[in-house]
Each structure stands twice: as structure tokens, then as C-alpha cells.
Amino acid sequence: MEISAVELVSSLVRTLQSGSLYALMALGLTLTLAILKIPNIAHAEYVTIGAYVSFTLINYAGLQLWQVIAPSFLVGGAVAVASYYAVFKPLKKRGASMFILMVASFALALIFRHIIYTIAGIGNWGLGVKPKIVTNAVFRVFGVYISDILLMALPTSIIAMAALYIFIMKTRTGKQMRAVAEDPDLAVASGINPEKIALITLIISGGIASVAGSFWVIFTHAHPDVGLEALLRMIAASALGGFYSYPGTVAGAIIVSFSENTVMDALNRSFGLSLALKPLIPMAIIILVLVTHPTGLSGITWRRKRTLIARGV
Amino acid sequence: MVLDQIVSIVISTGNFYAIWLILTLSLNYEYGYNGILNFGKVLFFGVGAFAAGYVVANLANFVAGVAVDMCSAQAVQLRLETARASPVFAIGGFLLAIAAGSILAGIVGLLLTSSTMRIKEGFILGIVLLAAGETSRIVVRNYEPIACGYHGLVGIPNPFLFVGDAQTSTYYLSILIWAVAAINFIIMFKVSRSPYGRMLKAIRENELAAESFGKNINKVRRQVLFIGSMMSGMAGVLYAYYIGFVAADDFTSLKTFDIWVAMMLGGVGNHVGAASGAFLVTVIDRATRTLRGWLATLNIPIEMLYVRWIIVGVLMLIVLMYRPNGLIPEGPIRTPAYRIFGTANLRWSRWRKS
Amino acid sequence: MSSSGVANSVLVAVAVVVLLIGLGIGIVVSPAIMGTGPIQTVTKTETTTVVAGATATQTIATTVTQTSVSTVTITQQAGPQKTEYTIGFAYELTGAQASFGNDMKDAGLVAIAELNEILEKSGSPIRFKSVVEDTASTPEGTVRAVQSLVENHRASIIVGPISSLGVAAVKGYLDQKEVVLVSCCSTAVTLKLPNDYIFRVIASADVQGKALSKSVLADGFRKAAVIYRAEAFGESLFNEFKKDFESAGGTVAAVPYAPDQSDYSAEVAKLSEEVRKLGPSETAVVAVSFQTDGLLILGLARLDETLSNVRWYGINTLRVPAFLPPQAPREIAEFMVKVKMTSSYTSPPANPRYFHFLEAFEKLHGRKPGPQAELGYDAAWVAINAILAAGTDNGRILKDVIIPVAREYMGASGHIWMDAAGDRAIQDYTISRIIAEGDSFKWIDIASYDASANKIRPIS
């Protein structure tokens, strides 16, 4: 297998580019699942909504990318909160199991997606429109271009991840969220307000997903299936993290993107595997992870391995 | 003539209904009776259909003694001509296809359950099955020898082609499809009344309690998914024969969701509910098409067919919230004791809110 | 509900039995009602006249060097003539192909409107009604749509769908029901079957592939890197392109991609690598993409240095307003100008019918038509011409009439010369290139592909 430096660097750059965006998308999924125990399939649609909100603001209100991030976050958060109050909360009150919640989120996703299809139809946006602002190559290194999207999305992901980590680990509300994640009944008994926790969780998940959508729309386009298409990658990223770990999800997103770019490239060179099979990668990851090691990366006891390595085992 | 119009509509709607009935019954068997979240139903449906195509195409080559590329136009001619000439090939091919399709689908189901045995969380199994369904579609799509890849396999002959008249052979095929659907329904009906069916429901309600009574959960899960997959495979074969064409792209995950909608709307854990759900969905499809035609003349810029899906989603949410067991809820389990002593409870249970 | 469990199941069993009996009655009674159709005799005579040479001026039927005349004699049962015919449009109005489907449907409606106007002016009592059904871009949806058209709406003839999978799915049903289907856009080579009820006004992939290959060869390239959709249409086109290009001594590098994705950075990077491997100065890039994926690929290609400095060729789906401002960012069009993007459209150059169609479409629908919409228009016209010529909508008669009728028809896409299997055999293309004109962008016609001669002729 021969691969030149240019191609290798190119695939690594692409890994970071898409990976940081997948991480932003998948974080919210893990959040809702871990804290509220809701497998929210409609999470993918928050990304699409963010994409369309940004597209509209950029094309019709003439805003710049950095200006649409806040409105996008707010709209995404609002829609997430609305889905909770309209669907998940009543179901939970009726004692719905995780299965029912998941099926309900499917129905919700269907509704959102087709509302977006209808709006796209009215706006005569055909299928797939690009906003006025496009990605541009900012500079070239080793014959590979670094786009402005990468320069924006990567730091945003890192900051979002760090901020979330600090929030969850250090602040009081974060500790409350963790308590609810561990044992909801005990948390309520200890006086934590579950409503407040739910609201915060949803605003953050929906918001981050929409911001990811804003970046995604510049990188690709605004299309009603944008979220759905990314859904399996989000699930794969979350699964790699064992579904309940945030750093695991981010690492998972990078691994998914790495597999799609570098690993796929290697398979193509060594085994002639056609690039048309690229959509198989996230699915293969899901099946492999869930069948062999369902607890994902977080299931590996890192501390024990570190001590073992330190002891020279 | 209006009568022949009605007959055609009944036949075409009836055929789709029969196939969807088998699919909904099988999903009900897996989820309704045993709580298995099968989000990959389209996989087993597809396996049956692809197996049917593969069997027929290769059988035709074998019978005619040639080795034509099964995806070419000559192969299509060959299959149709052989079916017209030889009833043995036509019907024998069908029987072989049904056997192969169902068993293969069942085996795939068995393999998947065995490998996901360790997963306790229901929704994880659901995701794995979803991923498996999509994977199979992409693989079959890109791998020609199974179902001609992107182009699909044309020309699966009606098993009654030898009769001569195209109309009559379609009628006979329809009767066959209906018969198979009816058999499946009767089997499900029997199962729901049997001790085995009661055990399935017991497991669904409380796994721990069932286990303490000595029921092997994993073994039961394997059996249920095997039977459910077999039924879906059977439906796939019928579908392949009815349409006469199979293509990988026809088996997307959206189809799984359609079957879930049918089951949830009709009634979970209840074979009559499953039957009514499938009926509702088939009828809604035909009805909204006609409705759309009328609405199109009003020149509203909103595409009604998208609105149809919004309505379906809303309906599903309403069903989940207010009637989680569907429009036709599950009745109480009929044990022999119930039949004898149950009349006193009858009036009481009718008024009780479910 | 709870008490009637037993009664419930018995009821259902009874219902099933009754339905089966009903079915049985239907079988016995139906043929008597539906009848075997009016008695008819059909005679076909074919005479062949050969016209020497082919002229270079591009007017009607110039490229045809052989004409074949068929006369069809039909004797029909006397009875009241039908005055209203229903044309059933089965197109992808939702789903992945929705924008194509809507365009084709609208093009077909233009044809129906034109014909009804002519009939009204001439005082004829005949009218054509159109009914539209959505196939949801899936094979099963196509079957449902066509069944609804044939059974609920009693359509005389079906026009559509776009997808080859859809056509293949309904072939069995239509052959049994004896209803003709005219497709504008299905290109699968596997559907080239004679004696069925499927007819196509689009040339299949082998003709298109040859045209594309010849246009690249004509500009002096012997190396091509092709990025194409990995599905029925794209793959067939690529295979035919490769066959023709390689037989002329060229080298082809392939970059297939799964359609319906948003992120094509990996595929575009691969394309760039292939171009570098072949040598950027001698290689042409060929894009076999539709609108959605085309925009995404071009959007990424413009960032790549190698790909911005080679010549690009694309199929006719790229030559549409969706790629130009205001519908797309300016940068895309600028990139297309930079790489001298060369595309085509399905019509011989300076075809007056084509320009008439463009005008009529814009007048009726208030927007410009999408790629290949002229084929949707022609498909509808062939369908209604067949019914008018036959004077009936009996499928069995239409099946025999449609080929000779199509051959007499000069459409917006040129002369519809159907071969014996009912598929179009000759399709001329006009090759265009995009240029910047001041602040806006324009496509200018630079050459034409003469299908009969298999040659590229420049337009001066």
C-alpha cells in the first residue's frame, strides 16, 4: 500500500474537520441519554433545523457565520425543550419505558423532517441549497488545504467539550445533573429539581446540535435529510463512548471520522474497496462495538491499565 | 364497468395488505408478545426477497441448461419463457423460493440474536438491528451476484404463467398470497391462545419473574426472532413474486418504520390489532393518494404527501400517549380457567379502563 | 372488546373466507365483464427508403439516413368514440428524486395543455385529462402509484417515472393489465425488452456514454478521471463512457461515490489524487452527478488546487440555473468558468421545438425547466399522439401503434427514433460551455454530437 505524505495528511485533516463536527452533533445525544434516559432519535433533526436557520439568516438577513451561531443555539435549544414538554415528559409521566420513548422520538423525527420538507418545498429550495457563504481554503500545508471551517469547528468543539466538562464536573448544577444521571429517584429525594435539570440538559443538547448544523451547512448544504444522514454516525460515536460518557463520545466521533477517511482510504488502496461503500463504516462500527464490547471506550478501565503499564506489565 | 374496477382495486390493495399483514404479525410476535425492539425488520424482508430472486434466476439457468448472466435482458426472457412452458419450473421454483427465503431469513435472525445475546438494554439491540438492516442494503446494492446490484433483478415469473392468460395467473397468485397470509394469521391466533404464547407475554411483562419460574429467556428470544424472521422472509418472497422485481434500494429503513407504524396504530400484543393496523395503513395510503389528486387542483404550494407523513407522526404520538396498546387493545389472556370461570369478570373488565 | 375475543377471531376467519370466495367469484365473472377487447386486425407494412448522405445543416431529421414507413390498419368495433382520455403521470414528487420528478411532471402538463388548446380550437370533442400520482422515489411506491392510476383513475396510458427501478417494478403489472407506459428518463440497459408495454423516449446509457466520451476525446484528451454516482444510471453511464474512451486508446480512472451523502471531501480528495497520478495537464475530469451531489462536489473541488487547474466535463444535469447565482453561491459558477466546464443538453442544436418548449414551460409554470425536462415533454407528446393516431386507448392497439407514431414525431429533444424494443436509439446532443458575461454567467453552444454518425461537429 503506497500512500504519499500529501494523501495521508489530507485524510488526517479531513478526519479533524468532520470529526469535530460529528462530536458536536453527538454530544447532545449522549447528554439526553445519560441524564434523562431518553434515546432521542429526533436529535438528528435539531442539526437540520440549525442548518436551515443558519441558511435563512445568512441568505436573507445577510448575517455572517459568527453571527448566526447564537440564534441557531437558541432555536435548537427551544425545539429540544418543546419536544420534551410535548412528547417526552407526558410519556415519562405515564411510565413509558425507554423503548416507547425511542419509538416516540422516531415519530417526532418524522414530524420534524416532513415539516422541513414542506417548508423547503414552499421556499422552492429544491433539494439541497448552499448558503451564500462558502468554505474557503485559508492556507495550504504539504499541498493540502486547511479550510476556514476546520479552523472554526475544531476550536469550537474543543471549547464546547471543555466547557461542558467543567460545567458537569465542577459546578453545582453539573453535580446535580450527574446525580440525576446516577439515580433519578434518589436525586429527587435529595431535593434536586428534575424539571430544571431536564431543561438545562435539553437546551444544551439541542443548542450544540444546532450550532453543529450551522457549521455543517457552510461545509455542505441545507437539505432536509442532513440530520438523518448523520444520525448513524452520531449513534456510532455515542456507542463508542458506551452511550454514557462525554469524552468517550468525542473520542468516538473522531474515531468514526478517522475510519471514514483514513481507514477507508487504506482499505481502498490495499483491497480495492470502493469508496461507494463509505456509508458502511459507521454501521460496521456500531455493530462491532455493540456486539463485542457494549460499554465502549468508557468500559475499558483506564486507571487500571495505567497502573499496569506503570508497573511494567 | 364499475365492477371490474372494484375487483382490480380489491385485488391490488388486498395483495399489498396480505404482505403487510404477515410483516405486521411478525413484528407483533417479536415486539408485542416478547418485547424485542426489532428496528431492522426490513433486513429479513429483504433477505426473503433476494433469496427468491436468486433462486429463480439460477434455477432457470439450471433448468434451461444455459449460463446466462442473470441480470441481462436475455435472462429475463429466458425466465418468462421457461415459466410459461414448464409448470414444474414455475411452481417448483416458487416452493423452493419460499423454503429458501424463509429459512435463510430465519437463520440470519438466529445469527443476529446469538451475537447480541449479551446485550441487556433493549434499545441497544434495536440499534444493532437497524445498523444490520442498512448494512445489508448497501452490501446487496454493491454486490452484483445477489440481486443485480443497482439495477435490480427483473422478471421473476408468476408461478401460474403456464395457465396462459395473464389475468387468470394474477388471480391465482393473489389467492396464493392471501392463503399464505391467512395461514400466518391463524397460526398467530393459535399461538396467542397457547401456553407458549402466555409464556411469551409473561416474559415481556416481567423477565425476572419469568426466569424465576424456570423459563430460559435467551432461548425463547432466539426462537421468537427465528420465527418472526421466517415470517418476514416469507413475506419477502411473496412480495418479490407479486411485483416480479427485486432491488436492494427498495428495502430501506423507512420500510421498517412503516411496519412499526402499522403495528402501533392497530394494537400491540394482539394479532387482530396487527391485522387492523396493516389494514389501516394500506387503506390510508390509497385514500391519501386520491385525496392528493383532488387537493392538487386547488393549487396550494404545500405538498400534501409530506403533510400525510406529519399526520402519521402525530397519530403515532397520540396513540403512544393515550392508547399505548393501539386502537384495539390486547384482551386478557384466555386460559381454560378463564373460559369457565371468567364470565363473572366479564362485565367488570369491560368497564375497567385499560 | 374483551368479551368478544372468541367471536372476534371467528369473525375474522369468516371475513377471510368470504373474501376468498369473493375472489373466486371475481375470477369467474371478471373476464366476462372486462371482455377480451374489441375485435381488431392489425397489419403492418414496412417500407424502407434510403436517403443518400447526411446534411450538415441542423434542421428536422437531418441525421437520419434511413427511413422506414409502417402502416397500421386497425378495424374496430363500432361504438361511441371516447372523448375524454386520462393521461396518468406517475412521477417522483417526494423523496430523493423530487426535483426531477416535479420538473418532468410539469413538462408533461405543458404538453397536455398545448394539445387541449389545439383540440379546442379545431372544434374536436376530444380532450385529455391528466392525473398525477407520486411514486415517493421507491419501487414499491411506483407500483402503488401506477395501480392507483390504472385502477382508481382508469388512466389510458402512463407517463413516467424517472427511475429505472420504478419502471422495472411496474413492468409486470402493466404487461398484465395491458396498459402502455412511456418513460422519459429510465436508462437501464436491462430493460431493453421487446414485446412489452414499456417504451422509452430517452436513449439508454450506451448512447449517452458514447456522446460524453466523444466530446472529451474531441478536445484532445486521452486521459480522464471520472467521478460518478454509484447507482444504476451513473454506473451504466460510466461503463459505456469507459468502453468508448478506452477503445479510442484512452485511460480512465474511476472514483465512484455513494449518492445521498453530504460530505464528499474524501471522494474529492481521491479524485484529486487520481488526476495527479494521471498528470494534470493531460487529464480531463468528468462529473456524472445530479444537482444535489454536483453542487457539493464542485463546492469542495474548488478548494483543491489540482482540480481547479484542469478541464471539467459534466453531464446535462449540471447545466441548470441551480448551479448559478442566485440559487447557488457565486463561487461555484466562478469555479465552473475557471475549469471551462463543458456540459450538454438533449437536443440537436438550433432545434426550434426545443426553444418553443422552453418558452411554453416558463409561460405555464413561471420558472425555467430543469435538465432533460424536454424529455418529459416528449414522453407526454408521444403518449397523446399514440392515442390520437389509434383513436382508442386500448392498450393492445397502442402497444403496436406507438413505435411508428414516435418515429414520426420530432420532439423538443429531437427525432424520437424508437428501435424495435421500444427504446430510443438515436439522441443528438448539443454541447455547451459556461462563460462569464460581465456580472452574470451564460452557457454557449459550442458543438453538437451527431448520434447517427457518432461524431462531434463544432458549431461556428
Side-chain angles (χ1 to χ4, degrees):
Chain A
M1 178 183 100
E2 14 144 325
I3 181 170
S4 74
V6 178
E7 276 118 37
L8 188 61
V9 172
S10 160
S11 68
L12 291 173
V13 166
R14 281 181 274 123
T15 303
L16 285 176
Q17 193 169 256
S18 327
S20 50
L21 288 171
Y22 296 155
L24 278 176
M25 292 184 207
L27 264 174
L29 191 64
T30 313
L31 257 175
T32 358
L33 188 54
I35 298 179
L36 299 176
K37 304 286 184 294
I38 301 175
N40 188 5
I41 301 293
H43 186 84
E45 306 308 323
Y46 305 150
V47 175
T48 319
I49 291 175
Y52 272 95
V53 166
S54 313
F55 166 77
T56 322
L57 288 174
I58 291 176
N59 275 27
Y60 295 100
L63 293 183
Q64 292 299 307
L65 181 57
W66 65 268
Q67 286 171 309
V68 301
I69 292 194
S72 187
F73 183 91
L74 290 172
V75 173
V79 176
V81 167
S83 18
Y84 177 74
Y85 278 116
V87 175
F88 297 123
K89 181 162 166 213
L91 278 175
K92 282 193 115 176
K93 225 168 47 169
R94 287 171 171 74
S97 62
M98 256 188 171
F99 312 164
I100 301 279
L101 289 171
M102 190 168 178
V103 177
S105 67
F106 255 124
L108 200 58
L110 200 72
I111 296 175
F112 282 142
R113 199 162 61 244
H114 287 277
I115 292 180
I116 297 173
Y117 264 120
T118 315
I119 297 177
I122 299 176
N124 238 331
W125 287 333
L127 284 178
V129 276
K130 281 176 109 38
K132 266 196 283 221
I133 301 178
V134 291
T135 30
N136 284 302
V138 174
F139 56 90
R140 295 175 193 280
V141 58
F142 290 123
V144 173
Y145 68 84
I146 306 282
S147 65
D148 48 6
I149 283 293
L150 174 61
L151 291 179
M152 279 191 281
L154 191 56
T156 315
S157 293
I158 297 177
I159 293 173
M161 207 187 11
L164 196 61
Y165 188 76
I166 296 173
F167 181 67
I168 297 229
M169 289 296 163
K170 307 291 181 190
T171 67
R172 190 149 165 269
T173 328
K175 292 204 180 103
Q176 289 179 340
M177 287 164 87
R178 273 188 291 148
V180 172
E182 285 282 339
D183 192 337
D185 298 319
L186 192 57
V188 173
S190 319
I192 298 178
N193 181 357
E195 283 302 301
K196 181 177 113 180
I197 302 297
L199 264 172
I200 296 180
T201 311
L202 285 154
I203 294 180
I204 297 179
S205 6
I208 299 183
S210 286
V211 171
S214 311
F215 287 128
W216 195 253
V217 80
I218 310 280
F219 179 47
T220 58
H221 62 175
H223 185 290
D225 284 340
V226 148
L228 184 63
E229 191 225 332
L231 181 63
L232 277 164
R233 295 186 182 112
M234 291 185 232
I235 294 179
S238 205
L240 276 166
F243 286 119
Y244 295 104
S245 150
Y246 316 114
T249 307
V250 174
I254 302 287
I255 293 177
V256 169
S257 185
F258 179 74
S259 315
E260 277 189 338
N261 286 297
T262 314
V263 174
M264 184 75 220
D265 200 29
L267 288 171
N268 179 257
R269 282 172 214 281
S270 329
F271 303 108
L273 209 65
S274 160
L275 281 176
L277 293 173
K278 202 170 83 169
L280 271 182
I281 302 272
M283 295 177 228
I285 293 179
I286 290 178
I287 297 180
L288 274 169
V289 169
L290 292 179
V291 168
T292 56
H293 195 128
T295 42
L297 293 166
S298 60
I300 305 173
T301 37
W302 295 103
R303 224 162 275 151
R304 191 153 162 264
K305 288 221 156 52
R306 244 199 322 239
T307 14
L308 285 173
I309 294 173
R311 285 211 206 125
V313 168
Chain B
M1 274 289 126
V2 184
L3 187 60
D4 67 289
Q5 202 177 358
I6 295 179
V7 168
S8 329
I9 296 179
V10 164
I11 292 180
S12 59
T13 327
N15 278 315
F16 270 111
Y17 174 59
I19 294 172
W20 281 81
L21 174 63
I22 301 179
L23 285 169
T24 319
L25 281 173
S26 73
L27 183 63
N28 178 52
Y29 186 61
E30 291 161 0
Y31 177 69
Y33 289 171
N34 205 236
I36 299 176
L37 262 186
N38 192 347
F39 283 135
K41 186 136 277 301
V42 73
L43 165 61
F44 308 106
F45 185 49
V47 165
F50 299 140
Y54 189 77
V55 161
V56 168
N58 286 299
L59 191 64
N61 276 354
F62 178 70
V63 163
V66 294
V68 189
D69 171 22
M70 71 180 193
C71 305
S72 63
Q74 300 113 289
V76 175
Q77 298 278 66
L78 175 70
R79 287 193 280 274
L80 292 173
E81 268 148 39
T82 321
R84 236 179 284 260
S86 155
V88 172
F89 163 71
I91 299 194
F94 177 76
L95 293 171
L96 194 60
I98 277 230
S102 328
I103 294 177
L104 198 60
I107 293 178
V108 171
L110 211 58
L111 280 171
L112 275 171
T113 8
S114 307
S115 52
T116 53
M117 235 356 95
R118 286 192 288 156
I119 301 177
K120 282 297 179 178
E121 304 248 25
F123 81 90
I124 294 187
L125 179 61
I127 293 178
V128 172
L129 286 168
L130 176 66
E134 271 300 293
T135 309
S136 73
R137 180 180 70 93
I138 295 182
V139 166
V140 173
R141 194 165 172 254
N142 285 289
Y143 186 59
E144 287 254 345
I146 298 181
C148 296
Y150 311 125
H151 309 277
L153 185 70
V154 184
I156 297 178
N158 185 318
F160 301 104
L161 258 187
F162 58 87
V163 167
D165 179 26
Q167 307 263 21
T168 324
S169 42
T170 313
Y171 289 137
Y172 289 158
L173 180 63
S174 308
I175 295 184
L176 185 57
I177 294 178
W178 279 79
V180 174
I183 293 173
N184 273 292
F185 181 78
I186 293 172
I187 293 179
M188 278 295 118
F189 166 63
K190 290 268 170 232
V191 164
S192 77
R193 301 283 210 81
S194 71
Y196 187 78
R198 289 199 292 275
M199 172 186 69
L200 291 180
K201 291 188 193 174
I203 295 178
R204 180 192 69 193
E205 295 305 328
N206 194 331
E207 264 185 40
L208 204 55
E211 250 179 328
S212 68
F213 274 94
K215 308 293 176 195
N216 184 344
I217 306 274
N218 284 336
K219 179 159 144 229
V220 170
R221 197 172 266 192
R222 269 202 296 266
Q223 286 171 347
V224 167
L225 210 52
F226 180 75
I227 303 275
S229 316
M230 258 187 71
M231 288 173 73
S232 315
M234 210 184 301
V237 173
L238 291 177
Y239 178 77
Y241 268 93
Y242 178 56
I243 306 234
F245 167 73
V246 279
D249 283 331
D250 203 5
F251 300 95
T252 57
S253 306
L254 295 172
K255 213 166 245 193
T256 308
F257 191 62
D258 287 342
I259 304 171
W260 271 87
V261 169
M263 182 189 69
M264 304 222 78
L265 281 181
V268 181
N270 176 355
H271 53 283
V272 175
S276 2
F279 183 73
L280 255 171
V281 163
T282 318
V283 166
I284 288 179
D285 177 78
R286 254 304 164 85
T288 41
R289 286 176 181 282
T290 328
L291 190 65
R292 188 205 173 267
W294 290 338
L295 285 172
T297 53
L298 295 174
N299 258 327
I300 314 172
I302 298 179
E303 179 53 69
M304 278 304 142
L305 289 158
Y306 294 135
V307 175
R308 183 252 300 232
W309 283 113
I310 299 177
I311 293 177
V312 166
V314 170
L315 259 175
M316 275 211 48
L317 287 177
I318 293 178
V319 163
L320 281 170
M321 279 203 255
Y322 299 110
R323 286 191 80 103
N325 288 321
L327 297 168
I328 302 179
E330 205 176 333
I333 299 180
R334 263 156 236 303
T335 56
Y338 185 93
R339 222 169 289 144
I340 301 172
F341 302 111
T343 19
N345 287 338
L346 238 47
R347 250 165 269 135
W348 172 73
S349 49
R350 227 187 305 187
W351 291 116
R352 184 189 64 158
K353 283 204 180 122
S354 50
Chain C
M1 220 54 241
S2 38
S3 63
S4 52
V6 177
N8 224 2
S9 317
V10 170
L11 245 138
V12 174
V14 168
V16 170
V17 170
V18 164
L19 274 155
L20 286 176
I21 293 176
L23 209 60
I25 295 178
I27 294 173
V28 172
V29 168
S30 230
I33 295 176
M34 286 168 97
T36 45
I39 323 283
Q40 70 221 202
T41 46
V42 175
T43 50
K44 258 201 270 198
T45 49
E46 287 220 0
T47 46
T48 312
T49 45
V50 180
V51 172
T55 54
T57 50
Q58 308 299 329
T59 48
I60 300 175
T62 51
T63 55
V64 177
T65 52
Q66 207 177 0
T67 42
S68 173
V69 173
S70 316
T71 5
V72 180
T73 322
I74 303 158
T75 8
Q76 263 187 276
Q77 231 176 23
Q81 280 283 17
K82 219 169 146 180
T83 52
E84 193 183 64
Y85 297 102
T86 310
I87 308 287
F89 289 101
Y91 275 119
E92 290 80 348
L93 303 173
T94 61
Q97 315 280 3
S99 56
F100 277 145
N102 269 300
D103 260 344
M104 293 299 165
K105 171 205 48 145
D106 286 340
L109 291 176
V110 172
I112 307 280
E114 282 182 347
L115 178 66
N116 277 332
E117 206 183 308
I118 297 173
L119 290 169
E120 206 178 309
K121 279 207 194 125
S122 66
S124 162
I126 300 178
R127 291 290 178 276
F128 282 83
K129 194 173 85 151
S130 51
V131 180
V132 180
E133 283 278 357
D134 174 37
T135 72
S137 307
T138 63
E140 185 178 333
T142 316
V143 176
R144 287 182 194 261
V146 168
Q147 280 180 346
S148 173
L149 284 172
V150 170
E151 296 165 4
N152 290 29
H153 301 284
R154 316 199 120 244
S156 316
I157 201 170
I158 310 285
V159 178
I162 294 177
S163 146
S164 296
L165 296 179
V167 174
V170 297
K171 176 185 139 64
Y173 176 75
L174 289 173
D175 284 348
Q176 182 246 313
K177 284 279 180 195
E178 296 181 340
V179 175
V180 167
L181 179 141
V182 184
S183 169
C184 64
C185 318
S186 144
T187 53
V189 179
T190 47
L191 286 171
K192 280 189 161 183
L193 300 158
N195 282 323
D196 62 6
Y197 283 78
I198 309 286
F199 298 90
R200 301 186 279 178
V201 300
I202 186 172
S204 34
D206 40 3
V207 177
Q208 292 191 37
K210 266 193 253 182
L212 192 56
S213 160
K214 288 287 184 292
S215 67
V216 177
L217 290 167
D219 283 341
F221 289 102
R222 290 294 174 272
K223 294 190 186 166
V226 185
I227 183 165
Y228 65 97
R229 283 172 72 91
E231 42 84 54
F233 168 73
E235 206 208 6
S236 319
L237 192 59
F238 169 70
N239 285 331
E240 299 299 331
F241 173 88
K242 184 170 169 181
K243 231 175 12 190
D244 192 270
F245 202 74
E246 283 179 346
S247 70
T251 329
V252 175
V255 183
Y257 63 87
D260 306 324
Q261 288 182 86
S262 328
D263 177 9
Y264 287 111
S265 44
E267 288 87 346
V268 171
K270 185 98 209 154
L271 180 67
S272 178
E273 183 191 329
E274 294 290 341
V275 171
R276 279 197 299 274
K277 273 210 302 236
L278 289 172
S281 50
E282 318 168 345
T283 314
V285 173
V286 181
V288 179
S289 310
F290 291 167
Q291 183 179 316
T292 320
D293 31 318
L295 270 171
L296 291 169
I297 290 175
L298 290 180
L300 288 170
R302 59 172 275 272
L303 299 174
D304 186 281
E305 228 180 330
T306 318
L307 293 175
S308 307
N309 291 305
V310 288
R311 284 277 301 276
W312 279 65
Y313 292 80
I315 56 173
N316 54 6
T317 42
L318 298 179
R319 188 186 167 272
V320 285
F323 282 80
L324 306 174
Q327 290 185 40
R330 232 193 136 66
E331 287 85 345
I332 303 270
E334 282 167 7
F335 172 71
M336 286 167 84
V337 172
K338 181 163 188 228
V339 296
K340 299 207 177 70
M341 174 72 79
T342 308
S343 182
S344 60
Y345 59 93
T346 43
S347 179
N351 178 3
R353 245 136 110 104
Y354 176 72
F355 296 116
H356 159 81
F357 161 68
L358 288 180
E359 264 179 50
F361 188 99
E362 209 170 336
K363 193 159 143 215
L364 185 61
H365 296 295
R367 66 173 203 276
K368 289 202 164 50
Q372 289 186 184
E374 51 270 17
L375 288 168
Y377 177 76
D378 286 341
W381 263 110
V382 167
I384 50 195
N385 275 341
I387 295 180
L388 285 175
T392 170
D393 62 355
N394 182 307
R396 257 184 254 175
I397 300 180
L398 285 177
K399 177 180 167 229
D400 293 322
V401 162
I402 204 163
I403 295 181
V405 164
R407 288 177 176 179
E408 304 285 332
Y409 172 67
M410 176 66 179
S413 66
H415 188 190
I416 312 275
W417 185 262
M418 275 190 189
D419 63 20
D423 304 311
R424 184 168 180 171
I426 299 177
Q427 169 74 70
D428 292 341
Y429 286 86
T430 308
I431 319 275
S432 332
R433 182 168 299 156
I434 188 171
I435 55 162
E437 205 174 56
D439 218 17
S440 61
F441 301 92
K442 214 169 94 155
W443 287 92
I444 50 168
D445 295 345
I446 56 170
S448 73
Y449 173 70
D450 181 334
S452 304
N454 197 14
K455 268 198 170 64
I456 300 275
R457 299 177 199 283
I459 295 176
S460 46

